[in-house]
């Protein structure tokens, strides 16, 4: 094995010779190194690349081009979204373009690309088609009729991109011939060599690979995660002297550096209530989000859950292939905003505008986290990946941190204020996009409205309507359950136990209040308690309760600092709130709602603002 020392463990694309001084300078250097004229790329391909928005080669492509073009076997490890597909597609297309053999009918393919998912196969085939209009590029994957694929084999093929099951089937039953195969690419190679695919891959390659490696096709292996065991399996197919190009290395961060990695603690029962708010705050009304679930059932249920405010569709293996393709196309085109997916979308899928990825369960496995989080922050864009986790799953985050070199920024569940801020920002953005001539048409009605309601109220109502806030839903701040209001009973002196608060409440409200108070817990500074009640109980408490010198009753608008329970020594009260673009909106120390005059706490501010969330029409 020959390892390129300059490439191994490198963290940027500038060959490690000259350190750039700034981001601008680094980009300039990358562009200079990746200029098309530095590579044997045909005019036709350059025209096609430019039409696709590619004006120079990305660092990983610059680094791998000559090696791939020279025919050497290579293993490439580079972070998600850095452009590995063109690392093989461009030089291999150029190699085939150089072939002067006529493109005869029935010609067998010269390039084979195997991928673990159908969606990835389709995507890679489209990348090949974008840069070569001349070659016959075929995409073979399961869940589709054989007829067209068999017809293509008879017609002649230059490049086959496919999933192992269908490709094997076509070899065995439909005369797909790999006799003259010159180049083999295993994309997401660690997955291709893993249990689910290893046997099929072995069967496919055994049709062409001989014991004498010099007779074998050029073998190119790519992934963002190349564990050590993978190299052992790979040896079987590689020339003895193969190159290893690694832009990740062992010491640096394995996940995309363009992604901000956040974690929000909330129990499983809370998640369904807060997911919509999380998406609103971190991705906005129109941003694209992928939510990863661990099961098809969960993906399906979540996509139909009305607590989700954005339009959502599921993507999982139980759907018909046609349906999978329609859903993915709709998501790419923006006909809906949230894709609720299982692992079928975890690897390779490239949808540049995805701003946010949410892992609905704590990440259990570091490499899987690298790929899932890598669905955002692609091709130099930034993105956010949020992992939801139960207090008992904190260890999962620590494992991922240790293995990938990332540090999760722990943030709290978004508050009503965060949601309102984000919704109105969206609404203002939509206002800005209305053409001036259309605005002109509405000015008369606006004048009437301003006269009737006043400018402020009229505009506020319009913003609320545009942002889809059709009602204010009350929600517990302690566990996010809808239909509850969180209140605080503040003591003027420290208390040792919550029973002291219970006694005082019962003295004023009567014994029957006992069953109407939920989840009572001590404030972190021991200066009182907070608990959940139903809105009707809040009303009767507000009517009966009288603040004393000792106790003051208020409605919480953000979660106060509370003492961690025994099961979790880092409760949600210790969290800060983050928002889109990573800004920190820590409101832990803000006051908990207005205190009513005349000794009655909470009246006026009442349940309206406590623990609420905007409920949107879908
Ligand atoms: N040189 C380039 N200039 C502009 N865009 C590029 C360039 N190379 C690749 N891209 C774009 O970057 C995006 C990511 O590329 P690609 O899907 O190949 O990444 P990847 O490294 O294979 O990611 P993953 O590991 O997740 O599969 C794609 O949208 C691709 O079109």
């Amino acid at each position: 094995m020959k390892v390129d020392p300059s490439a191994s463990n490198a963290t940027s694309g500038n060959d490690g010779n000259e350190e750039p001084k700034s981001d601008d300078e680094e980009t300039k250097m990358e562009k200079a190194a990746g200029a098309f004229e530095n590579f044997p790329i045909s005019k036709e391909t350059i025209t096609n690349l430019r039409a696709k928005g590619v004006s120079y080669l990305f660092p990983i492509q610059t680094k791998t081009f000559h090696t791939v073009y020279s025919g050497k076997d290579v293993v490439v490890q580079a972070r998600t979204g850095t452009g590995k597909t063109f690392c093989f597609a461009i030089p291999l297309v150029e190699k085939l373009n150089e072939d002067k053999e006529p493109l005869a009918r029935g010609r067998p393919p010269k390039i084979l690309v195997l991928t673990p998912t159908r969606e990835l196969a389709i995507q890679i085939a489209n990348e090949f088609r974008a840069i070569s209009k001349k070659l016959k590029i075929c995409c073979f994957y399961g869940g589709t009729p054989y007829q067209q694929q068999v017809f293509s084999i008879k017609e002649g093929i230059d490049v086959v991109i496919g999933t192992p099951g269908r490709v094997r089937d076509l070899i065995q039953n439909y005369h797909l011939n790999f006799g003259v195969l010159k180049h083999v690419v295993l994309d997401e190679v660690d997955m291709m060599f893993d249990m689910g695919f290893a046997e099929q891959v072995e069967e496919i390659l055994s049709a062409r690979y001989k014991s004498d490696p010099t007779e074998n096709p050029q073998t190119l292996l790519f992934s963002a995660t190349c564990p050590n065991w993978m190299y052992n399996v790979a040896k079987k197919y590689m020339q003895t002297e193969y190159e290893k190009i690694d832009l990740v290395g062992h010491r640096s961060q394995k996940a995309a550096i363009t992604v901000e990695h956040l974690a929000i603690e909330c129990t499983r029962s809370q998640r369904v209530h807060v997911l919509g708010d999380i998406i609103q705050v971190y991705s906005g009304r129109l941003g694209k989000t992928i939510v990863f679930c661990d099961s098809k059932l969960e993906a399906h249920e979540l996509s139909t859950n009305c607590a989700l405010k954005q339009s959502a569709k599921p993507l999982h293996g139980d759907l018909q292939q046609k349906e999978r393709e329609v859903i993915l196309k709709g998501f790419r085109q923006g006909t809906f905003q949230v894709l609720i997916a299982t692992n079928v979308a975890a690897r390779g899928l490239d949808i540049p505008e995805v701003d946010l990825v949410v892992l609905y369960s704590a990440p259990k496995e570091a490499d899987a986290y690298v790929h899932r989080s890598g669905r955002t922050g692609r091709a130099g864009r930034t993105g956010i990946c949020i992992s939801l986790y139960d207090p008992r799953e904190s260890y999962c985050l620590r494992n991922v941190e240790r293995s990938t070199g990332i540090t999760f920024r722990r943030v709290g569940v978004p508050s009503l204020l965060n949601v309102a801020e984000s919704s109105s920002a969206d609404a203002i953005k939509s206002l800005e996009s209305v053409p001036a001539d259309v605005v002109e048409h509405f000015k008369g009605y606006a004048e009437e409205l301003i006269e009737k309601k006043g400018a402020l109220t009229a505009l506020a109502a319009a913003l609320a309507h545009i942002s889809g806030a059709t009602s204010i839903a009350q929600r517990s701040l302690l566990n996010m359950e809808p239909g509850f209001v969180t209140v605080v009973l503040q003591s003027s002196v420290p208390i040792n136990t919550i029973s002291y608060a219970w006694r005082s409440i019962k003295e004023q409200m009567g014994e029957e209040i006992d069953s109407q108070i939920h989840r009572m817990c001590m404030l972190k500074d021991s200066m009182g308690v907070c608990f959940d009640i139903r809105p009707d109980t809040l009303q009767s408490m507000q009517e009966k309760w009288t603040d004393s010198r000792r106790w003051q009753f208020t409605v919480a608008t953000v979660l106060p600092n509370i003492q961690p329970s025994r099961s979790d020594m880092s409760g949600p009260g210790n969290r800060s709130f983050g928002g889109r673009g990573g800004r920190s909106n820590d409101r832990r120390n803000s006051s908990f709602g207005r205190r009513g005059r005349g000794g009655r706490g909470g009246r006026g501010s009442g349940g309206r603002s406590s623990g609420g969330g905007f409920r949107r029409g879908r």
Side-chain angles (χ1 to χ4, degrees):
M1 179 178 75
K2 186 176 158 212
V3 177
D4 175 356
S6 68
S8 185
N9 294 337
T11 51
S12 79
N14 65 41
D15 280 323
N17 298 332
E18 247 181 277
E19 277 300 315
K21 291 185 185 65
S22 65
D23 284 357
D24 275 356
E25 206 178 323
E26 184 170 359
T27 312
K28 232 192 227 168
M29 286 167 72
E30 285 174 1
K31 281 187 177 172
F36 290 141
E37 59 266 25
N38 300 339
F39 305 92
I41 306 178
S42 65
K43 272 195 189 139
E44 187 197 338
T45 307
I46 291 176
T47 309
N48 293 337
L49 281 168
R50 286 198 196 282
K52 213 185 138 32
V54 176
S55 53
Y56 67 99
L57 297 191
F58 278 173
I60 185 64
Q61 296 154 1
T62 304
K63 218 166 196 54
T64 52
F65 189 99
H66 293 295
T67 318
V68 174
Y69 189 76
S70 71
K72 280 186 194 159
D73 286 358
V74 197
V75 181
V76 178
Q77 179 175 233
R79 291 189 186 86
T80 53
T82 52
K84 292 186 288 297
T85 311
F86 281 153
C87 290
F88 56 86
I90 301 174
L92 293 186
V93 161
E94 289 311 295
K95 294 296 281 181
L96 255 55
N97 281 343
E98 281 167 14
D99 263 356
K100 294 294 171 233
E101 279 174 45
L103 300 177
R105 192 180 141 77
R107 63 191 180 281
K110 292 193 174 138
I111 298 176
L112 168 66
V113 182
L114 288 177
T115 75
T117 68
R118 298 165 182 183
E119 284 70 21
L120 184 52
I122 297 170
Q123 185 179 295
I124 293 176
N126 287 337
E127 296 279 75
F128 267 94
R129 286 185 188 122
I131 59 171
S132 173
K133 310 293 173 199
K134 197 172 74 189
L135 299 172
K136 181 77 189 295
I137 292 144
C138 291
C139 191
F140 297 155
Y141 52 89
T144 48
Y146 283 89
Q147 212 179 5
Q148 180 58 41
Q149 299 175 355
V150 175
F151 179 74
S152 299
I153 295 170
K154 286 186 182 149
E155 280 290 288
I157 302 174
D158 300 301
V159 185
V160 166
I161 296 124
T163 51
R166 177 56 62 100
V167 170
R168 182 186 58 175
D169 205 17
L170 288 167
I171 296 174
Q172 290 173 350
N173 302 315
Y174 298 95
H175 311 295
L176 177 59
N177 171 9
F178 284 148
V180 299
L181 208 55
K182 287 188 171 171
H183 315 274
V184 169
V185 180
L186 300 184
D187 198 22
E188 309 296 341
V189 57
D190 50 327
M191 200 165 177
M192 303 306 293
F193 285 158
D194 205 0
M195 276 179 330
F197 292 105
E199 203 180 309
Q200 294 167 358
V201 170
E202 160 83 41
E203 278 183 57
I204 293 166
L205 299 188
S206 66
R208 176 65 181 84
Y209 280 68
K210 306 281 175 274
S211 52
D212 175 5
T214 56
E215 287 178 33
N216 290 344
Q218 177 187 25
T219 309
L220 305 168
L221 311 182
F222 289 84
S223 184
T225 48
C226 294
N228 288 336
W229 64 261
M230 188 224 79
Y231 289 96
N232 286 332
V233 183
K235 271 185 210 154
K236 191 169 163 188
Y237 304 106
M238 311 292 277
Q239 307 285 338
T240 33
E241 287 258 303
Y242 71 89
E243 290 231 11
K244 178 182 169 192
I245 298 180
D246 181 1
L247 288 199
V248 179
H250 295 295
R251 283 177 295 243
S252 62
Q253 177 176 316
K254 289 188 168 60
I257 48 179
T258 44
V259 175
E260 194 185 2
H261 304 275
L262 306 184
I264 295 181
E265 181 194 295
C266 56
T267 62
R268 204 146 259 287
S269 60
Q270 294 167 3
R271 277 172 215 180
V272 77
H273 307 304
V274 298
L275 184 62
D277 285 352
I278 289 172
I279 294 174
Q280 172 60 52
V281 168
Y282 289 93
S283 186
R285 189 159 56 99
L286 298 174
K288 283 196 174 91
T289 300
I290 300 179
V291 178
F292 281 107
C293 295
D294 286 340
S295 75
K296 297 166 194 168
L297 183 68
E298 192 171 54
H300 195 79
E301 283 178 357
L302 209 51
S303 68
T304 54
N305 193 304
C306 55
L308 204 65
K309 301 158 186 175
Q310 300 77 6
S311 55
K313 290 211 159 113
L315 184 75
H316 54 74
D318 272 358
L319 296 170
Q320 295 285 323
Q321 184 52 32
K322 196 83 221 133
E323 219 177 329
R324 276 165 70 162
E325 285 170 35
V326 168
I327 286 173
L328 204 54
K329 191 170 171 201
F331 185 56
R332 280 186 197 279
Q333 292 176 342
T335 53
F336 64 98
Q337 281 68 48
V338 183
L339 186 71
I340 316 251
T342 57
N343 254 347
V344 294
R347 291 253 183 174
L349 213 61
D350 179 63
I351 300 164
E353 309 81 13
V354 170
D355 304 311
L356 174 67
V357 167
V358 179
L359 271 60
Y360 199 62
S361 301
K364 305 286 181 311
E365 216 256 307
D367 284 357
Y369 179 79
V370 167
H371 290 279
R372 285 180 165 195
S373 63
R375 294 319 99 210
T376 183
R378 301 178 67 74
R381 292 169 66 114
T382 55
I384 296 177
C385 178
I386 300 178
S387 300
L388 306 183
Y389 70 103
D390 189 272
R392 284 164 303 184
E393 295 171 321
S394 297
Y395 73 95
C396 298
L397 299 186
R398 288 195 295 275
N399 286 346
V400 170
E401 287 180 325
R402 227 182 352 258
S403 308
T404 63
I406 63 162
T407 305
F408 286 104
R409 186 156 72 86
R410 271 83 167 166
V411 296
V413 168
S415 68
L416 172 63
L417 290 170
N418 299 135
V419 179
E421 196 183 331
S422 159
S423 304
S424 53
D426 276 342
I428 290 165
K429 227 187 275 165
S430 346
L431 286 184
E432 282 162 2
S433 66
V434 181
D437 56 333
V438 176
V439 173
E440 231 16 80
H441 272 6
F442 282 79
K443 277 191 174 163
Y445 303 110
E447 267 165 14
E448 268 176 42
L449 194 62
I450 289 171
E451 221 166 275
K452 214 156 112 196
K453 288 190 174 295
L456 187 64
T457 309
L459 191 56
L463 282 178
H465 183 76
I466 300 164
S467 66
T470 52
S471 68
I472 301 283
Q474 287 166 342
R475 195 173 71 184
S476 158
L477 294 174
L478 289 165
N479 77 344
M480 304 301 141
E481 196 177 338
F484 284 94
V485 180
T486 302
V487 295
V488 173
L489 201 56
Q490 192 100 35
S491 166
S492 54
V493 291
I495 57 170
N496 291 327
T497 66
I498 58 171
S499 52
Y500 189 48
W502 273 114
R503 222 175 21 249
S504 303
I505 295 170
K506 283 180 188 169
E507 270 167 21
Q508 281 210 42
M509 304 300 299
E511 284 294 323
E512 61 279 12
I513 194 73
D514 194 83
S515 61
Q516 290 160 43
I517 288 182
H518 305 261
R519 298 177 275 276
M520 188 185 286
C521 48
M522 287 264 273
L523 298 184
K524 191 156 189 209
D525 57 5
S526 301
M527 298 298 283
V529 294
C530 83
F531 52 87
D532 284 342
I533 46 179
R534 297 266 180 204
D536 50 348
T537 312
L538 173 70
Q539 201 181 345
S540 65
M541 276 194 93
Q542 284 174 328
E543 280 162 14
K544 275 193 186 168
W545 178 268
T546 309
D547 275 354
S548 60
R549 268 198 314 180
R550 189 60 182 273
W551 292 110
Q552 286 173 344
F553 178 92
T554 56
V555 177
T557 53
V558 291
L559 182 65
N561 269 341
I562 55 172
Q563 290 191 1
S565 66
R566 257 181 243 130
S567 66
D568 167 37
M569 295 309 286
S570 55
N574 296 326
R575 301 285 181 245
S576 64
F577 297 106
R580 226 185 304 172
R583 58 183 185 258
S584 176
N585 296 328
D586 192 336
R587 298 180 199 277
R588 277 172 298 169
N589 299 322
S590 34
S591 60
F592 315 136
R594 264 181 300 132
R595 218 172 311 139
R597 276 188 222 127
R600 291 224 168 134
R603 199 182 274 177
S605 61
R608 269 181 61 78
S609 61
S610 73
F614 289 127
R615 182 157 291 154
R616 294 154 172 283
R618 279 164 64 86

